[in-house]
Amino acid sequence: QVQLVESGGGLVQAGGSLRLSCADSGRTFRSNTMGWFRQAPGKEREFVAAITWHGHTTLYADSVKGRFTISRDNAKITIYLQMNSLKPEDTAVYYCAAPKSLEVRLMTEKYEYDYWGQGTQVTVSS
């Protein structure tokens, strides 16, 4: 069973960096597309980035392109989100997500993902 656990969030000043991690304690997402989403207060949960199972193909929201990098270590059953040049508008709870079925394509919609972590708070001060 997939059990996603995010970590690495915190408080950082604008321009700073953070690296989020998402581990699957159920050890089942090794061969699947994974995604990161975020949700700011009063807003809908939005797509941030996705990565294919082999890690060679990635996709980013326009708002984070060039600043965030998604990666994975399948041996550790973990995906990462390196966030650089953070802005106050990046403040949100960040979630990793996995689909139930085996997927080879990159997905950007919430409904395409079935498993979600509990989220980790990222706060960027100006």
Side-chain angles (χ1 to χ4, degrees), residues 38-122:
R38 67 185 181 186
Q39 187 166 16
K43 294 188 177 181
E44 293 288 320
R45 191 170 299 189
E46 64 176 6
F47 170 76
V48 174
I51 187 168
T52 50
W53 72 269
H54 46 62
H56 297 324
T57 307
T58 57
L59 182 67
Y60 298 92
D62 288 343
S63 59
V64 306
K65 201 173 295 183
R67 300 187 298 121
F68 290 12
T69 302
I70 187 172
S71 61
R72 67 192 299 160
D73 184 337
N74 286 340
K76 296 182 179 179
I77 326 287
T78 301
I79 64 168
Y80 304 96
L81 186 68
Q82 177 66 44
M83 306 185 295
N84 299 328
S85 302
L86 282 161
K87 305 175 181 180
E89 50 264 44
D90 294 318
T91 295
V93 177
Y94 283 71
Y95 300 88
C96 65
K100 183 181 298 184
S101 59
L102 187 63
E103 295 284 351
V104 296
R105 61 191 176 93
L106 295 166
M107 297 96 71
T108 63
E109 300 294 336
K110 297 187 297 292
Y111 70 84
E112 296 178 296
Y113 292 86
D114 302 286
Y115 302 106
W116 296 84
Q118 83 289 348
T120 185
Q121 176 70 48
V122 171

Side-chain angles (χ1 to χ4, degrees), residues 18-39:
L18 283 174
R19 188 176 83 153
L20 306 183
S21 299
C22 172
D24 172 19
S25 60
R27 306 182 65 80
T28 58
F29 78 56
R30 189 176 314 194
S31 299
N32 214 346
T33 289
M34 297 288 296
W36 283 100
F37 286 74
R38 67 185 181 186
Q39 187 166 16

